[in-house]
Amino acid sequence: MRGVVFDGKQIQVVDDLEVREPGAGEVLVAISAAGLCHSDLSVVDGTIPFPVPVVLGHEGAGVVEAVGVGVSHVAPGDHVALSTLANCGTCAECDRGRPTMCRQAIGRPGKPFTRGGQPVYQFASNSAFAERTVVKAVQAVRIPKDIPLPSAALIGCGVLTGVGAVLNRARVDRGESVVVIGTGGIGLNVLQGARIAGASRIVAVDANPAKEEAARKFGATDFLKSTEGVRDLLPTGADHVFECVGRVELVRQAVDLLDRHGQAILLGTAPATAEASFLVSSMFLDKSILGCRYGSSRPQRDIPLYTQLYRQGRLLLDELVTRTYPVEDFEKAVGDLEAGRVARGVLTF
């Protein structure tokens, strides 16, 4: 079968990939569509250290082909969106409703794939850039069949991370002010999360002026090309500032833009050894810097909620899909993403 493999030196679209049958508590999914995210490219450039060879992709949707023993919440023929959380469901963190903190869901890459008889790693417990993948049952969330699968694919990372950061981690309240630094796939979802939460002022910041139209469509009330103008709009600072790029100088700017009791939420993926600085004295007015993994999501709860909001017209999904590409055009999709020509490109199988 076809898949996108990174061997440590180059990315290839191969056609000799194999995946094993699902075991107990697992689901085999035929991938229909998968979003291309900067996190996939971060594996290639080393920002996210990961063993190779590996099948990339972590934002997918498709149709269940088979289920293992003990799986009852999905069945063959169901449409599903996939999460990256292969959480155990039984530890203290899972029991508290914090599956993103489950230690079984962090840094434990499996090898369900083979190529030429050699094992191949699975990225983010998902590997959606393959015609078929095997995931833990908890990662497969059934969705209504009337939701287009290219749109549904984007729920599994961009929506869970961006909207989840607003609703679950920052807990933005009605009437509050929000600044979003970076309006790529994650940033656009932060914008619409803030809109859904009822924020009164939503300021999008991006150096690319071509992104203004999309930013406003998703919820921005204002658009700036740098953070320098934020204080003109919000003289006392913002209640919430989301850094969605992963650059340490932008982390500092996010902290500096906070009002009293404000929160800086870090979503962008910086290199593993990156360090950021801030003035300690600036934090004493109850300000906070919040890390956020995967939108502090609970996928089996949140994905059905987001599909409901989509069907009500309150959550935008179709508008996130800037362009679809057959998997053979992977290099074209990467080029468009790196050049900022697409918010989210979606590979189709």
Side-chain angles (χ1 to χ4, degrees):
M1 68 178 185
R2 292 171 298 167
V4 179
V5 176
F6 175 57
D7 64 6
K9 296 181 179 179
Q10 63 178 344
I11 308 173
Q12 290 181 287
V13 179
V14 304
D15 59 8
D16 57 350
L17 199 64
E18 296 182 3
V19 66
R20 62 170 172 79
E21 292 297 314
E26 294 181 333
V27 178
L28 175 67
V29 179
I31 298 294
S32 296
L36 177 59
C37 173
H38 278 102
S39 294
D40 300 303
L41 305 185
S42 293
V43 174
V44 178
D45 67 22
T47 301
I48 298 178
F50 207 87
V52 294
V54 57
V55 179
L56 298 175
H58 64 285
E59 188 181 62
V63 181
V64 175
E65 280 202 352
V67 300
V69 175
V71 178
S72 59
H73 74 291
V74 294
D78 284 345
H79 287 198
V80 292
L82 301 183
S83 86
T84 65
L85 285 181
N87 59 295
C88 71
T90 58
C91 69
E93 297 294 353
C94 287
D95 194 48
R96 294 188 183 104
R98 300 195 297 228
T100 57
M101 295 296 104
C102 174
R103 284 170 171 78
Q104 297 295 323
I106 301 176
R108 294 174 180 267
K111 300 177 183 178
F113 301 100
T114 56
R115 185 180 180 218
Q118 299 300 312
V120 180
Y121 284 99
Q122 184 175 41
F123 178 53
S125 302
N126 190 306
S127 289
F129 292 169
E131 289 187 88
R132 292 174 182 77
T133 191
V134 170
V135 298
K136 290 186 65 173
V138 70
Q139 296 176 253
V141 184
R142 186 168 54 193
I143 59 174
K145 291 185 177 180
D146 60 344
I147 298 180
L149 288 171
S151 300
L154 304 185
I155 300 175
C157 176
V159 176
L160 282 175
T161 300
V163 178
V166 174
L167 302 183
N168 301 328
R169 186 68 169 128
R171 297 182 183 273
V172 173
D173 203 357
R174 295 182 300 277
E176 292 185 325
S177 58
V178 170
V179 175
V180 181
I181 302 175
T183 60
I186 299 299
L188 289 177
N189 279 294
V190 174
L191 289 171
Q192 69 171 332
R195 170 177 50 78
I196 291 168
S200 62
R201 200 76 183 262
I202 306 172
V203 182
V205 180
D206 200 293
N208 185 353
K211 293 186 176 183
E212 180 173 1
E213 181 180 356
R216 290 186 180 276
K217 180 183 295 184
F218 277 77
T221 59
D222 304 271
F223 184 90
L224 300 171
K225 290 188 287 185
S226 77
T227 58
E228 293 179 2
V230 171
R231 288 284 181 175
D232 294 330
L233 301 175
L234 302 170
T236 63
D239 295 312
H240 309 274
V241 182
F242 294 81
E243 200 284 333
C244 304
V245 180
R247 288 168 46 187
V248 294
E249 66 271 24
L250 296 179
V251 171
R252 173 59 184 266
Q253 291 174 30
V255 174
D256 290 346
L257 287 173
L258 295 177
D259 195 356
R260 299 182 179 194
H261 205 272
Q263 300 181 138
I265 301 91
L266 309 186
L267 296 178
T269 303
T273 57
E275 297 183 2
S277 64
F278 60 91
L279 293 175
V280 175
S281 60
S282 72
M283 303 300 292
F284 292 142
L285 292 174
D286 287 0
K287 299 179 184 181
S288 304
I289 301 173
L290 304 181
C292 183
R293 180 171 189 252
Y294 204 42
S296 301
S297 297
R298 295 163 65 182
Q300 290 288 344
R301 177 201 66 175
D302 292 346
I303 290 177
L305 169 63
Y306 298 154
T307 59
Q308 183 179 8
L309 291 174
Y310 166 79
R311 296 172 94 184
Q312 294 171 352
R314 298 171 62 192
L315 183 91
L316 305 182
L317 289 179
D318 303 336
E319 294 82 356
L320 282 170
V321 183
T322 312
R323 183 174 175 182
T324 60
Y325 306 81
V327 68
E328 291 80 10
D329 288 346
F330 179 78
E331 289 187 7
K332 169 64 175 172
V334 170
D336 286 347
L337 177 64
E338 291 180 326
R341 288 189 288 267
V342 296
R344 265 299 193 268
V346 175
L347 301 181
T348 58
F349 290 87

Coordinates of all heavy atoms in Angstrom, one line a residue, residues 172-176 193-200 202:
V172 N -11.3 30.8 27.9 CA -11.7 32.2 27.6 C -13.1 32.4 27.9 O -14.0 31.5 27.6 CB -11.4 32.4 26.1 CG1 -11.9 33.8 25.7 CG2 -9.9 32.3 25.8
D173 N -13.4 33.5 28.5 CA -14.8 33.8 28.9 C -15.4 34.9 28.0 O -14.7 35.6 27.3 CB -14.8 34.2 30.4 CG -16.2 34.0 31.0 OD1 -17.2 33.6 30.3 OD2 -16.4 34.3 32.2
R174 N -16.7 35.0 28.1 CA -17.4 36.1 27.3 C -16.9 37.5 27.6 O -16.7 37.8 28.8 CB -18.9 36.0 27.6 CG -19.6 34.7 27.1 CD -21.1 34.8 27.4 NE -21.4 34.9 28.8 CZ -21.4 33.9 29.7 NH1 -21.1 32.7 29.3 NH2 -21.7 34.2 31.0
G175 N -16.7 38.2 26.6 CA -16.3 39.6 26.8 C -14.8 39.8 27.0 O -14.3 41.0 27.0
E176 N -14.0 38.8 27.0 CA -12.6 38.9 27.2 C -11.8 39.2 25.9 O -12.4 39.1 24.8 CB -12.0 37.7 27.9 CG -12.5 37.5 29.3 CD -11.8 36.3 30.0 OE1 -11.5 35.3 29.3 OE2 -11.6 36.4 31.2
G193 N -12.1 29.4 18.0 CA -12.4 29.0 19.4 C -12.7 30.3 20.2 O -13.7 30.2 21.1
A194 N -12.0 31.4 20.0 CA -12.3 32.6 20.8 C -13.6 33.2 20.4 O -14.4 33.7 21.2 CB -11.2 33.6 20.5
R195 N -13.9 33.1 19.1 CA -15.3 33.5 18.7 C -16.4 32.7 19.3 O -17.4 33.3 19.8 CB -15.4 33.4 17.1 CG -16.8 33.7 16.6 CD -16.8 33.6 15.1 NE -16.1 32.5 14.5 CZ -16.7 31.3 14.4 NH1 -17.8 31.0 14.9 NH2 -16.0 30.3 13.8
I196 N -16.2 31.4 19.3 CA -17.2 30.5 19.9 C -17.3 30.8 21.4 O -18.5 30.8 22.0 CB -16.8 29.0 19.7 CG1 -17.0 28.7 18.2 CG2 -17.7 28.1 20.5 CD1 -16.4 27.4 17.8
A197 N -16.2 31.1 22.1 CA -16.2 31.4 23.5 C -16.9 32.7 23.9 O -17.2 33.0 25.0 CB -14.8 31.3 24.1
G198 N -17.0 33.6 22.9 CA -17.7 34.9 23.1 C -16.7 36.0 23.4 O -17.1 37.0 24.0
A199 N -15.4 35.9 23.0 CA -14.5 37.0 23.3 C -14.9 38.2 22.5 O -15.5 38.1 21.4 CB -13.1 36.5 22.8
S200 N -14.7 39.4 23.1 CA -15.2 40.6 22.5 C -14.2 41.2 21.5 O -14.6 41.9 20.5 CB -15.6 41.6 23.6 OG -14.4 42.0 24.3
I202 N -10.8 40.2 19.3 CA -9.9 39.1 18.9 C -9.0 39.6 17.9 O -9.3 39.9 16.7 CB -10.8 37.9 18.3 CG1 -11.9 37.5 19.3 CG2 -9.9 36.8 17.9 CD1 -12.8 36.5 18.7

